């Protein structure tokens, strides 16, 4: 499947994955972040419940310096 | 007259949260996180603004982040909507911020109108504020120094109204103190000057006018010595606040009044 993460296309050999699978794959579990799937926030409590599928648009954001 | 005990309890209250410092600072434009931390510590600020941006993926994930240097349990984070030019973008950003910061509701809303001036788009700001307040956010709102708009933002339910002193990052100081005075006089929620402060005297003037606080970033971060400037800003805020509480003398334009006795002059 192909998904778009933060504007970049990423290809995986599987048909679906949970948000937790993606977090593990990206090795960001030690950070603070929030994930949006097709414009809708995925609550952390749903990380094992939902499926990320082919064509999904994901945004993964964090806090950075700003005024 | 304000006695010392009153000053001791002179806390800033925003949406039921109390703060000892009336200086709010941004975390952008510093050379590195170490400098960010040192300057913010020196400033005494308890509320720090942060921006919400795409995470850098594929880079070294062990690299330290801003949150390592400014732990959210030591500071009150104020996620902002810098870079948003519509109500929808701002709302989306702050929903993500709330998820990111474990349900944190205190936010800074700013909807910009133009990338040259970064002047606020108050129409979009009001639309966004209404939605966010309905969703349970405590909205501190960046706005122009228009007293009518400021009043409308309070009426909607914003917990603090933050008019600009001059354009973001300009360092031009307080260009329209009279408008700020009107806003301070009319509103019940804290009025915090946000943007435009260039140096410590600007911060002091804002506080002397009766502002409840000042939010700044560039004036500290881009000073030749940010840490020294952070300390200067802290003192400017405190001096201005105490002068405001003390109540200044009346201005006398035409009658000078000597401080020394006029009797007993040597003739």
């Amino acid at each position: 499947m192909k998904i778009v993460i933060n504007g970049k296309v990423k290809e995986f050999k599987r048909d679906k994955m949970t948000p937790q699978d993606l977090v593990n794959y990206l090795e960001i579990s030690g950070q603070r972040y929030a994930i949006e799937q097709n414009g809708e926030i995925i609550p952390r409590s749903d990380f094992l419940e939902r499926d990320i599928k082919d064509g999904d648009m994901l945004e993964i954001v964090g806090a950075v310096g700003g005024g | 007259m304000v006695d010392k005990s009153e000053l001791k309890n002179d806390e800033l209250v925003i949406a039921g949260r109390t703060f000892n410092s009336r200086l709010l600072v941004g975390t952008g434009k510093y050379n590195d996180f170490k400098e960010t931390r040192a300057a913010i510590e020196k400033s005494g600020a308890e509320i720090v603004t942060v921006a919400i941006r795409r995470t850098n993926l594929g880079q070294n994930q062990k690299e330290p982040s801003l949150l390592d240097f400014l732990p959210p349990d030591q500071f009150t984070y104020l996620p902002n909507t810098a870079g948003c030019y519509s109500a929808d973008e701002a709302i989306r950003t702050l929903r993500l911020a709330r998820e990111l910061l474990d349900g944190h509701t205190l936010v800074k809303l700013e909807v910009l109108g133009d990338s040259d001036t970064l002047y606020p788009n108050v129409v979009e700001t009001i639309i966004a504020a209404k939605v966010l307040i309905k969703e349970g956010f405590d909205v501190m709102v960046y706005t122009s120094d228009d007293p009518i708009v400021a009043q409308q933002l309070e009426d909607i339910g914003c917990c603090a109204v933050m008019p600009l002193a001059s354009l973001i990052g300009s360092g031009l100081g307080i260009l329209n103190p009279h408008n700020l005075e009107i806003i301070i006089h009319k509103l019940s929620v804290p009025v915090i000057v946000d943007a435009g402060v260039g140096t410590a005297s600007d911060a002091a003037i804002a506080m002397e006018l009766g502002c409840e606080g000042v939010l700044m970033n560039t004036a500290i971060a881009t000073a030749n010595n940010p840490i020294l400037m952070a300390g200067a800003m802290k003192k400017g805020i405190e001096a201005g606040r105490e002068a405001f509480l003390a109540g200044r003398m009346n201005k006398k334009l035409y009658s000078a009044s000597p401080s020394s006795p006029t009797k007993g002059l040597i003739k």
Side-chain angles (χ1 to χ4, degrees):
Chain A
M1 66 173 184
K2 276 185 191 169
I3 58 176
V4 180
I5 308 173
N6 288 355
K8 283 184 187 155
V9 179
K10 202 113 191 153
E11 211 168 339
F12 293 89
K13 281 181 182 165
R14 48 209 289 193
D15 294 335
K16 61 177 186 179
M17 62 167 69
T18 66
Q20 189 60 52
D21 292 335
L22 181 67
V23 165
N24 295 344
Y25 168 79
L26 296 170
E27 298 178 348
I28 56 169
S29 54
Q31 300 179 25
R32 288 234 183 189
Y33 52 84
I35 305 180
E36 200 184 58
Q37 178 183 27
N38 303 323
E40 193 195 331
I41 290 171
I42 312 176
R44 223 157 296 207
S45 53
D46 282 5
F47 272 18
L48 294 170
E49 315 290 322
R50 298 221 191 158
D51 283 328
I52 295 169
K53 295 190 225 52
D54 186 50
D56 277 357
M57 306 281 286
L58 294 149
E59 289 289 336
I60 304 179
V61 301
V64 301
Chain B
M1 254 301 266
V2 176
D3 65 28
K4 275 193 176 163
S5 61
E6 267 181 77
L7 268 180
K8 216 174 168 187
N9 296 322
D10 182 37
E11 288 168 327
L12 170 63
V13 183
I14 300 171
R17 299 160 173 88
T18 56
F19 303 95
N20 292 310
S21 173
R22 292 176 179 274
L23 174 56
L24 295 73
V25 295
T27 56
K29 295 184 180 172
Y30 286 97
N31 290 314
D32 52 45
F33 291 141
K34 214 178 137 207
E35 187 184 67
T36 312
R37 169 78 200 198
I40 289 171
E41 219 162 73
K42 187 84 178 171
S43 77
E46 296 163 284
I47 300 175
V48 297
T49 65
V50 293
I52 306 301
R53 292 290 180 271
R54 283 175 166 172
T55 299
N56 271 333
L57 299 168
Q59 305 219 337
N60 182 5
Q61 301 302 342
K62 298 281 174 285
E63 252 177 45
S65 74
L66 178 71
L67 285 82
D68 296 324
F69 284 81
L70 300 171
D73 57 343
Q74 290 175 27
F75 296 91
T76 297
Y77 268 49
L78 191 64
N80 70 24
T81 58
C84 292
Y85 287 86
S86 69
D88 285 346
E89 287 169 25
I91 293 162
R92 182 185 183 191
T93 300
L94 291 177
R95 284 175 181 158
L96 281 163
R98 178 158 65 178
E99 177 63 22
L100 174 76
L101 296 170
D102 300 325
H104 175 83
T105 55
L106 189 67
V107 296
K108 170 180 164 180
L109 170 66
E110 57 181 300
V111 185
L112 305 174
D114 151 341
S115 61
D116 292 328
T117 62
L118 300 179
Y119 208 80
N121 179 333
V122 295
V123 176
E124 289 291 308
T125 301
I126 288 171
I127 294 168
K130 281 183 182 168
V131 173
L132 290 165
I133 289 161
K134 213 173 163 190
E135 292 184 9
F137 285 91
D138 295 314
V139 178
M140 300 175 69
V141 61
Y142 173 63
T143 184
S144 67
D145 60 8
D146 180 331
I148 306 303
V149 172
Q151 182 69 63
Q152 286 177 348
L153 289 165
E154 173 177 275
D155 294 345
I156 289 167
C158 291
C159 66
V161 174
M162 307 199 291
L164 50 76
S166 47
L167 298 183
I168 293 174
S170 71
L172 290 175
I174 298 164
L175 297 186
N176 196 339
H178 307 296
N179 269 30
L180 290 180
E181 276 180 318
I182 295 169
I183 293 170
I184 291 161
H185 180 71
K186 292 261 190 190
L187 268 54
S188 309
V189 296
V191 174
I192 292 171
V193 155
D194 180 0
V197 164
T199 188
S201 55
D202 296 334
I205 291 168
M207 296 308 292
E208 283 174 16
L209 290 171
C211 288
E212 290 279 334
V214 178
L215 199 168
M216 64 179 78
N217 190 157
T218 311
I220 297 175
T222 67
N224 282 336
N225 184 334
I227 296 156
L228 197 57
M229 185 57 89
M233 289 299 187
K234 179 178 195 268
K235 291 170 189 157
I237 295 281
E238 288 170 359
R241 178 64 182 173
E242 287 181 20
F244 169 73
L245 292 174
R248 62 157 297 143
M249 64 168 283
N250 290 325
K251 288 182 182 174
K252 295 169 196 157
L253 292 181
Y254 298 109
S255 70
S257 162
S259 300
S260 304
T262 50
K263 282 181 182 170
L265 287 169
I266 306 156
K267 290 191 178 169

